[in-house]
Amino acid sequence: MSDALPPLEPRRRSEGLPPLPGRSEQTRGLPPLEPPSATSTRELPPLAPPGGSAPPPPPSTPRGRPRRRGLGTAAVVALAVLAAGAGGGVIVRALDDDAPASAVVEQTTATTTGTSSEVLPEDLATAVARVAPTVVQVQTDAGSQGSGVIVEPSGLVVTNNHVIRGATQVTLLTQDERRVPATIVSADERQDLAVLRPDGPLGRGAELADESDTLEQGDQVFAIGSPFGLQNTVTAGIVSNVGRTNPDSGVPMIQIDAPINPGNSGGGLFDLEGRLIGIPTSILGPISGNVGIGFAVPVSRVRTMLDGAP
């Protein structure tokens, strides 16, 4: 679990910058500086007028929680599943969670945050602390890896169908590093959702957002998952659009700009109240990495899957 990252590909000579033109003899050297004017002075003004009081010191900065910087990671090739868009080959890609576990860097349970929009750190930190234990890492015997969310009150785990596709054995890794086997209860390829039943206790689950809680464009949200095997990674952003639809299946989708990458699949998308509002599923872009356009299956579909679980 501590394999080094792959080396960067060598850059071809043609990809470099063009050579700079030679400097002519007439342009060598700098022009002489102009002499200072008679009215100029090199002295700084006094700090306070003679006999006057010194200016008041600047207000002190209030103490608060230091901001944590997010951990940057390299993008990997994603599996193309839906052809869409035009001009430049823009495609929707499911988050590729089929990389073997041996290719993942060492896991950590420390929470890291990276924000792509303005979010109040106090509100975000409070919400993250409340719901982070409800997100687990999903590992399968098929070599795939993703994320899942424990939900209340059933204790079942929701993830993406493409995370557990082809698997016969599933293991859930909790935030406190417990490994709990799980059974696949139901799976829906069209909606890319699956429900797992853990064989042991996992801990408390996340609260589902109510049907009456209207999600609006511009609402602040955050995602928790295990991108590239980095468990309990938090990214934040906004709802970019609520009216998107999967062009292949017709399933409604939430568009977000919170960075999601392979390994985020099946994790949780939450509002600042800590309620589950969606399951990150896919990204859209002309390249295989994240470009700030991600999609999540809305919680209404999650609720239907849970209601139909045996």
Side-chain angles (χ1 to χ4, degrees):
M1 304 297 287
S2 59
D3 294 349
L5 295 174
L8 294 175
E9 296 181 0
R11 174 178 291 180
R12 298 191 300 273
R13 184 176 301 275
S14 61
E15 294 179 355
L17 296 174
L20 295 174
R23 179 182 295 178
S24 65
E25 292 296 331
Q26 297 179 351
T27 59
R28 292 183 181 275
L30 297 175
L33 296 176
E34 296 181 0
S37 62
T39 57
S40 64
T41 177
R42 296 178 180 272
E43 296 182 359
L44 296 176
L47 295 179
S53 58
S60 59
T61 302
R63 296 184 178 180
R65 187 185 359 257
R67 294 179 179 268
R68 298 182 179 179
R69 297 187 180 272
L71 177 64
T73 53
V76 299
V77 177
L79 174 65
V81 293
L82 300 174
V90 178
I91 52 178
V92 177
R93 305 169 185 267
L95 299 179
D96 183 7
D97 306 296
D98 296 330
S102 60
V104 179
V105 297
E106 185 176 357
Q107 298 176 357
T108 175
T109 57
T111 301
T112 59
T113 61
T115 58
S116 62
S117 64
E118 196 67 25
V119 178
L120 294 178
E122 293 82 7
D123 293 341
L124 178 60
T126 300
V128 168
R130 184 164 64 252
V131 302
T134 70
V135 180
V136 297
Q137 187 177 102
V138 179
Q139 301 173 350
T140 76
D141 61 344
S144 61
Q145 177 182 263
S147 305
V149 184
I150 314 166
V151 293
E152 290 287 1
S154 64
L156 297 174
V157 173
V158 178
T159 186
N160 280 144
N161 177 72
H162 75 260
V163 172
I164 53 88
R165 183 186 294 121
T168 58
Q169 296 180 357
V170 179
T171 301
L172 307 177
L173 181 63
T174 65
Q175 187 189 39
D176 56 1
E177 298 183 340
R178 290 181 293 113
R179 303 180 66 86
V180 180
T183 303
I184 301 174
V185 174
S186 59
D188 188 325
E189 184 173 1
R190 176 174 171 267
Q191 299 186 107
D192 198 13
L193 291 175
V195 178
L196 310 175
R197 175 173 285 111
D199 295 343
L202 294 177
R204 63 183 179 84
E207 174 190 356
L208 301 183
D210 295 333
E211 298 290 346
S212 59
D213 295 330
T214 304
L215 196 63
E216 297 180 350
Q217 191 175 33
D219 282 350
Q220 295 173 331
V221 295
F222 64 94
I224 305 180
S226 300
F228 308 112
L230 298 175
Q231 189 178 10
N232 284 32
T233 294
V234 179
T235 56
I238 63 169
V239 173
S240 302
N241 196 289
V242 295
R244 303 304 185 198
T245 301
N246 184 317
D248 188 45
S249 63
V251 175
M253 306 289 280
I254 304 169
Q255 180 185 338
I256 59 174
D257 75 342
I260 55 175
N261 288 286
N264 275 112
S265 290
L269 181 67
F270 302 91
D271 61 17
L272 292 187
E273 299 297 323
R275 296 170 298 191
L276 183 70
I277 60 173
I279 302 294
T281 300
S282 58
I283 57 178
L284 170 69
I287 61 175
S288 56
N290 176 273
V291 293
I293 302 179
F295 297 94
V297 180
V299 72
S300 59
R301 299 285 174 160
V302 175
R303 192 183 301 276
T304 301
M305 282 287 294
L306 292 170
D307 291 343

